[in-house]
Amino acid sequence: MNTDRHQATDATQPIRFDTKIAVLLREDLEPWQRLNVTAFLVSGLGTAVPEVVGEPYEDADEVSYLPMFRQPVLVFEGTKETLTRAHARTLTRALPRAVFTSDLFTTGNDRDNRAAVRAVPTAELDLVGLAVYGPKNAVDKVLKGARMHP
């Protein structure tokens, strides 16, 4: 799903993207949970949508660093209901997405995480976080009712 049209005329101009990476967090999370959920959620996007990952970094001493997302990750918050509606919208729009449910706070490994999500029907997931990637206008519609994280 590479819908980006890199909008730059030369190497000195900023690159603009037609896409958006966004994370929606449930507003009642503790600060440590917000950070943990955000990190987990965005980790899935780079594997499913490799074009969101930029080139590796290198400092002036030629020390190499891992590549990161090529565009900002916008973080939003909302109520449990806002999150449920946003999740439903990602499904109807078939956008790449990652979910984090409240059950994942009680598991201790990847296998148990996947089993915890698999055990619950879609409509009954107790979502605390959602990451989504896609065209800006589609992501904006998914996030309707959410507000920027403070």
Side-chain angles (χ1 to χ4, degrees):
M1 168 184 218
N2 191 358
T3 60
D4 284 332
R5 281 173 263 138
H6 304 292
Q7 300 171 359
T9 56
D10 63 46
T12 63
Q13 296 297 311
I15 296 174
R16 306 271 185 236
F17 295 97
D18 294 338
T19 57
K20 185 180 277 189
I21 299 171
V23 172
L24 175 57
L25 302 172
R26 204 164 75 190
E27 64 187 1
D28 62 347
L29 295 180
E30 295 293 326
W32 73 266
Q33 291 173 317
R34 291 171 184 258
L35 296 170
N36 183 266
V37 170
T38 300
F40 266 93
L41 287 171
V42 297
S43 70
L45 290 177
T47 59
V49 190
E51 65 266 19
V52 300
V53 179
E55 297 296 319
Y57 287 75
E58 186 176 277
D59 65 26
D61 294 323
E62 297 183 3
V63 174
S64 297
Y65 302 95
L66 294 172
M68 297 184 281
F69 289 136
R70 63 185 183 174
Q71 64 191 96
V73 175
L74 302 173
V75 182
F76 297 81
E77 69 175 4
T79 64
K80 182 176 183 173
E81 295 76 23
T82 301
L83 204 53
T84 300
R85 284 190 301 271
H87 180 247
R89 290 178 190 131
T90 65
L91 297 176
T92 61
R93 287 173 171 76
L95 296 172
R97 65 206 164 266
V99 296
F100 197 104
T101 67
S102 62
D103 295 330
L104 302 187
F105 290 127
T106 63
T107 60
N109 64 76
D110 186 51
R111 181 178 297 123
D112 291 342
N113 285 350
R114 285 182 280 112
V117 173
R118 188 178 305 116
V120 181
T122 305
E124 296 174 25
L125 291 171
D126 185 17
L127 298 168
V128 298
L130 172 72
V132 62
Y133 171 76
K136 284 182 180 180
N137 61 347
V139 173
D140 289 342
K141 288 176 183 176
V142 162
L143 298 174
K144 184 176 179 187
R147 60 192 172 278
M148 288 295 293
H149 189 280

